[in-house]
Amino acid sequence: MSNQHQYQHQEPGTRAVIDTTSPTGTVRELVDATDWTALTAEIAAYGSAPTGRLLTPAQCREIATLYDEAERFRSTVDMVRHRFGSGQYRYFTHDLPEVVRELRAAFYPHLLRIARDWSAKLGTSAPWPDELAEWIALCHAAGQSKCAQILLRYGAGDWNALHRDVFGDMLFPLQVVIGLDVPGTDYTGGEFVMTEQRPRAQSRGSATTLPQGRGLVFTTRDRPVAARRGWSKAPMRHGVSTVRSGRRHTLGLVFHDAR
């Protein structure tokens, strides 16, 4: 990938990111410094791709501690109650922490290029304007007006069932998840899991460990894959494997709003 990070294949379907550097610069500078050519190729091959470091350990801790400030969130979802798995997550209000707002704004123009390329390959509409604020306004006009930015907390035994974050017709095809804790120290288990449904074949799975402060760009619903005649859609789902011990927090950046 880039000089900011490396990854290695440990076994089929499993990727581990090697943590080698500390972030320097603003959030936008760090996102812009990502090797987007390599990341685009990676996500084309797997449906997900790791970033370099985006947040310092102090920033990660600060975001994770927000989970206990209930007034910052519009709702809390108990996954057991809804049969989504085990654990909790919370949706922020539109009054986002500044660093979360900066991350979304920094990622959007880069992800937009990938989204438009995917749309062209699949022959589908590409309704996404150049500006994130304009796209969110379109979501609100269509009845999707609730903030979809997520802070997730998992304890020992918790997990997240395979799913898609689709809240209506207004959909952005890519998302980002950022690890806020140190795997192997703060928690064990809890890998980010993706499955790809393949035509006339069994599904393909992958598992990625999220180092603290690093992100993973991944497919929201489906992505283009080369077919015998052009391109076809590969449906994808994501989830989290069982946390064996400790506590795991992640920040989810979604680029469309919810109903």
Side-chain angles (χ1 to χ4, degrees):
M1 290 288 290
S2 72
N3 60 4
Q4 292 182 298
H5 70 278
Q6 300 173 321
Y7 73 87
Q8 65 181 22
H9 294 280
Q10 294 183 309
E11 58 185 68
T14 301
R15 289 182 292 164
V17 179
I18 309 297
D19 195 13
T20 59
T21 61
S22 296
T24 56
T26 66
V27 165
R28 182 173 292 277
E29 288 170 343
L30 291 167
V31 172
D32 289 348
T34 297
D35 185 342
W36 284 99
T37 299
L39 187 147
T40 299
E42 173 90 354
I43 201 168
Y46 295 102
S48 64
T51 74
R53 272 185 173 266
L54 303 170
L55 300 172
T56 66
Q59 287 174 312
C60 290
R61 289 191 295 269
E62 183 177 351
I63 295 171
T65 58
L66 295 178
Y67 197 90
D68 294 317
E69 300 179 19
E71 67 277 6
R72 290 183 174 271
F73 302 92
R74 66 172 178 84
S75 67
T76 300
V77 177
D78 185 319
M79 287 190 273
V80 170
R81 177 184 175 189
H82 296 281
R83 302 185 69 182
F84 293 164
S86 176
Q88 277 190 352
Y89 58 86
R90 286 181 158 176
Y91 287 107
F92 281 100
T93 68
H94 283 298
D95 186 18
L96 294 171
E98 186 61 28
V99 67
V100 178
R101 192 181 305 277
E102 290 174 355
L103 283 164
R104 289 183 80 217
F107 268 106
Y108 181 76
H110 297 285
L111 299 182
L112 180 60
R113 285 191 285 272
I114 302 174
R116 287 173 173 171
D117 176 64
W118 285 12
S119 178
K121 287 174 177 174
L122 294 172
T124 57
S125 63
W128 315 291
D130 291 342
E131 299 296 329
L132 176 60
E134 186 177 348
W135 165 239
I136 295 301
L138 291 174
C139 290
H140 291 191
Q144 293 177 216
S145 58
K146 295 179 179 178
C147 182
Q149 311 317 302
I150 312 171
L151 189 57
L152 303 100
R153 171 181 283 178
Y154 300 84
D158 289 341
W159 57 283
N160 196 345
L162 294 170
H163 66 285
R164 296 163 170 164
D165 296 314
V166 177
F167 306 116
D169 295 332
M170 307 300 280
L171 174 75
F172 195 79
L174 296 158
Q175 298 173 228
V176 181
V177 61
I178 300 173
L180 301 178
D181 298 302
V182 180
T185 300
D186 295 323
Y187 68 94
T188 61
E191 295 84 5
F192 183 90
V193 177
M194 289 207 80
T195 61
E196 175 189 326
Q197 182 179 328
R198 300 183 299 160
R200 298 175 297 281
Q202 294 185 2
S203 296
R204 177 174 73 167
S206 66
T208 305
T209 298
L210 298 177
Q212 186 183 55
R214 291 177 180 257
L216 187 77
V217 179
F218 66 97
T219 306
T220 300
R221 182 172 63 186
D222 44 46
R223 67 186 184 91
V225 294
R228 199 179 312 176
R229 298 180 180 178
W231 297 88
S232 64
K233 291 181 179 180
M236 302 198 72
R237 297 178 184 275
H238 65 276
V240 176
S241 70
T242 303
V243 174
R244 304 295 185 181
S245 64
R247 180 176 280 182
R248 175 189 185 274
H249 296 87
T250 54
L251 172 67
L253 304 177
V254 181
F255 296 88
H256 49 266
D257 274 358
R259 292 190 180 277

